[in-house]
Amino acid sequence: MCDFRTIPLDIPVPGQSNAEDPMRLELENSLRAYPSRMPNSTKPPMMLSFSGGSEHGAYGAGILAGWGGTGDLPDFQVVTGVSTGSILSTFAFVNEPEKAVAGYTINSESELADVYAKPKDGKPDLANFETLVKYGSFANLDPLKERLGQFITDDVLLRVATKHDGGARLLIGATDLDSGRPVAFDLGDMATRYIASQVSGDGKAGQWKSCYIAAILASSSAPLAAPPVFIDNTMYVDGGMRFGMFGDPTALVQMAHWRGDAPDLKIEDDIYVPAPITYAIIDGTLDLPTPSCPKADASLCTKDNPMGGKEGVHKDWNIMSLAMASERVLVNQVYRFSALQLEDDACEESGCFNFLRIEDDVADFDFTYLDPAKSAPETLTCNQWQQIDIETDDPIEFQKRYMRCLISYGKAKVGEAGWGS
């Protein structure tokens, strides 16, 4: 039992007042604390939101490492994350980009997930579906749990707790599957309990660290891919079922749009908080994967007509392929809506909203890597490295060469965007 402090993330229905929305109040209180926490700063408060994206979190890690050209991150007032973004969020909050990179630099998929059966050509096969019936998922995240324990150290938790005590907030999203509602876990509150236990010697420090890590696992446990996580006798799964990323549906837009003679948020006489600057990192493309030929006769699909037109028999379907295809469409839609909501919430002036995602140019991005099986480094594109991963290791999700390429790509993209420079 963690007795976790959670904050509801429900979006109000039309006509419903959001004046007492818990997340809105949470962010307002955090922004009000900003002048006291950063008394000598001339910069506006900054908020960073990470999306989910599984192995594509390597791209987010690369962005952190390349921020400002050196990886020296801003002192964020609010950091939020979902799924793989929940892993990145702690290291962004405490300015530890090198730990984010190290976490996504793997030598084997087994460092992150215990896969019950190998896929076929990078896609789930019959054996995977058999294990799905037996175990309820394609894999478990026990290796990730152990890995997080190595990177989330006493020093990291102390720094999280210190910022939390000053009013900054570190929040990660998960879905309470018992009720179907999305919630945010307050990691800063849990880190504060951990440090208090270390000081008092009450013997509960290990419990609070386990709870901290359990929340990250809950946020990352996509149904089918990994089993749900139970916290406080409640079943949680991936936050991406409800939000691709989150800030607050109303708080930031209210803050940012209080314009006029007093353009910023007035705290008290002569004390104002500038409208916050929002950064959003999509650990993915926001595009659906390239569709395969839907025809029974694949020769009907050509480069100029990849779907084969109206003529020709459509290939047969089964319930698992239908479910997985539907899941991809729904997730893509949720992530697009979430990113658009953050953009709408940000202030309208130049620089208020900053957004990066994996773009089409990743297919042509060159990355040099020394494969242990080779005698010399080789330079290939990210897509080519991904194909080698499939042919060599055939992981179900985490492709070690491709992830290294994404880290390098993330560094290059944040450099082009000029974040922090």
Side-chain angles (χ1 to χ4, degrees):
M1 301 297 286
C2 297
D3 193 25
F4 234 114
R5 180 173 184 263
T6 60
I7 305 160
L9 288 174
D10 275 345
I11 298 176
V13 299
Q16 185 181 76
S17 171
N18 61 352
E20 300 301 320
D21 178 72
M23 180 55 72
R24 175 182 178 179
L25 296 175
E26 187 75 18
L27 289 190
E28 284 187 3
N29 288 335
S30 180
L31 293 174
R32 289 179 191 279
Y34 181 74
S36 297
R37 193 178 76 84
M38 304 285 285
N40 299 318
S41 177
T42 59
K43 297 179 179 179
M46 298 185 185
M47 172 180 170
L48 174 63
S49 290
F50 290 103
S51 82
S54 193
E55 68 174 343
H56 294 99
Y59 169 67
I63 289 176
L64 296 182
W67 199 298
T70 62
D72 187 18
L73 303 175
D75 190 342
F76 295 107
Q77 184 69 14
V78 177
V79 177
T80 70
V82 171
S83 196
T84 198
S86 72
I87 300 172
L88 293 166
S89 60
T90 289
F91 305 118
F93 194 66
V94 299
N95 194 4
E96 289 272 16
E98 65 281 0
K99 286 191 174 180
V101 169
Y104 283 86
T105 303
I106 61 171
N107 295 310
S108 169
E109 181 176 60
S110 62
E111 295 175 33
L112 298 177
D114 182 9
V115 179
Y116 297 128
K118 279 284 188 181
K120 183 178 181 180
D121 299 327
K123 298 178 181 180
D125 194 20
L126 178 61
N128 298 109
F129 296 123
E130 290 174 348
T131 62
L132 181 62
V133 173
K134 182 177 181 180
Y135 297 107
S137 63
F138 292 144
N140 70 64
L141 298 181
D142 290 346
L144 175 60
K145 179 179 179 180
E146 182 177 347
R147 192 173 180 85
L148 287 171
Q150 297 169 4
F151 284 97
I152 298 176
T153 60
D154 289 355
D155 177 65
V156 166
L157 290 170
L158 174 61
R159 290 158 69 185
V160 170
T162 300
K163 286 191 66 172
H164 177 83
D165 287 345
R169 289 295 177 262
L170 172 59
L171 307 166
I172 62 171
T175 303
D176 172 352
L177 205 58
D178 290 334
S179 68
R181 296 183 179 279
V183 301
F185 287 109
D186 187 342
L187 292 186
D189 176 74
M190 189 57 68
T192 299
R193 278 189 256 172
Y194 173 82
I195 297 302
S197 292
Q198 290 278 64
V199 172
S200 69
D202 64 8
K204 292 185 177 181
Q207 175 184 344
W208 302 138
K209 181 175 180 178
S210 294
C211 289
Y212 190 105
I213 292 172
I216 296 174
L217 293 174
S219 179
S220 305
S221 294
L224 302 186
V229 174
F230 288 83
I231 299 174
D232 296 330
N233 206 25
T234 301
M235 183 167 63
Y236 290 100
V237 296
D238 196 325
M241 291 186 65
R242 291 296 302 263
F243 290 95
M245 62 198 323
F246 73 95
D248 176 71
T250 57
L252 294 181
V253 69
Q254 293 292 337
M255 295 286 187
H257 290 175
W258 283 344
R259 295 292 187 243
D261 294 337
D264 305 313
L265 173 63
K266 187 173 183 179
I267 302 300
E268 54 186 74
D269 290 344
D270 300 323
I271 299 179
Y272 294 85
V273 177
I277 305 301
T278 301
Y279 292 90
I281 298 173
I282 291 286
D283 295 310
T285 65
L286 287 185
D287 295 322
L288 288 167
T290 303
S292 59
C293 179
K295 303 297 182 181
D297 180 2
S299 67
L300 296 175
C301 299
T302 64
K303 182 178 180 180
D304 295 330
N305 189 6
M307 304 306 289
K310 296 181 179 179
E311 304 300 325
V313 176
H314 197 288
K315 71 169 79 171
D316 204 359
W317 64 278
N318 59 62
I319 188 61
M320 290 307 302
S321 63
L322 180 63
M324 296 189 71
S326 300
E327 185 265 348
R328 287 193 294 269
V329 172
L330 290 172
V331 167
N332 178 261
Q333 192 72 2
V334 167
Y335 277 48
R336 283 188 173 229
F337 276 137
S338 299
L340 184 61
Q341 184 70 62
L342 273 184
E343 182 181 26
D344 287 345
D345 287 351
C347 63
E348 297 173 352
E349 297 170 7
S350 176
C352 278
F353 181 73
N354 305 274
F355 171 74
L356 283 173
R357 67 185 179 104
I358 297 175
E359 301 183 58
D360 292 342
D361 60 355
V362 70
D364 301 315
F365 182 80
D366 289 332
F367 174 66
T368 302
Y369 171 60
L370 176 58
D371 193 313
K374 302 290 181 66
S375 59
E378 191 172 6
T379 301
L380 299 172
T381 67
C382 288
N383 285 10
Q384 289 172 327
W385 283 121
Q386 184 177 40
Q387 189 57 40
I388 289 177
D389 280 322
I390 293 172
E391 294 171 355
T392 305
D393 304 323
D394 210 5
I396 197 167
E397 181 63 32
F398 299 103
Q399 302 160 333
K400 65 181 184 183
R401 301 169 184 83
Y402 178 59
M403 290 169 69
R404 283 174 166 81
C405 190
L406 286 179
I407 290 170
S408 182
Y409 175 73
K411 290 180 182 178
K413 297 304 286 187
V414 74
E416 291 174 10
W419 287 11
S421 58

